[in-house]
Amino acid sequence: MGKATIKQMLKRCSSLGRKQGGLDVPRGHFAVYVGEKRSRFVVPISYLAHPEFQHLLRQAEEEFGFDHERGLTIPCEEVVFRSLTAALH
């Protein structure tokens, strides 16, 4: 994933203290939607530095692209996403 792609994703998804989807997202975090039910997770921007999370973002870009209004959707099962983010803490 190139720096331009990460910057584009950050521009669209980084809260910088703003609201996303009508819900507050803390500064330094962004919201993603995971799984068939599109469960909403708020994750720290620091996850972008992890290769495992970058892999998920590449999959999201390939499947959905980043230029849509439905929010950043991660194409994996919710249980897998929870396990990955627990390991990143």
Side-chain angles (χ1 to χ4, degrees):
M1 176 177 306
K3 287 186 179 191
T5 302
I6 291 175
K7 285 182 181 181
Q8 176 187 7
M9 198 270 322
L10 278 174
K11 185 181 261 186
R12 290 187 48 82
C13 298
S14 174
S15 68
L16 300 175
R18 296 185 305 237
K19 291 187 175 187
Q20 290 183 4
L23 301 170
D24 286 327
V25 176
R27 181 178 292 269
H29 292 72
F30 62 101
V32 296
Y33 299 88
V34 179
E36 290 182 22
K37 295 181 181 178
R38 290 184 36 89
S39 299
R40 184 176 187 268
F41 292 86
V42 176
V43 298
I45 289 175
S46 63
Y47 282 8
L48 295 173
H50 294 278
E52 298 87 356
F53 199 81
Q54 290 177 9
H55 178 73
L56 288 177
L57 292 176
R58 279 191 295 277
Q59 287 180 323
E61 181 180 30
E62 288 174 11
E63 189 163 333
F64 306 113
F66 290 138
D67 190 27
H68 57 82
E69 298 301 319
R70 295 189 62 203
L72 179 58
T73 302
I74 304 292
C76 75
E77 295 179 22
E78 187 176 331
V79 66
V80 173
F81 185 80
R82 286 182 188 275
S83 295
L84 173 66
T85 55
L88 295 179
H89 266 76

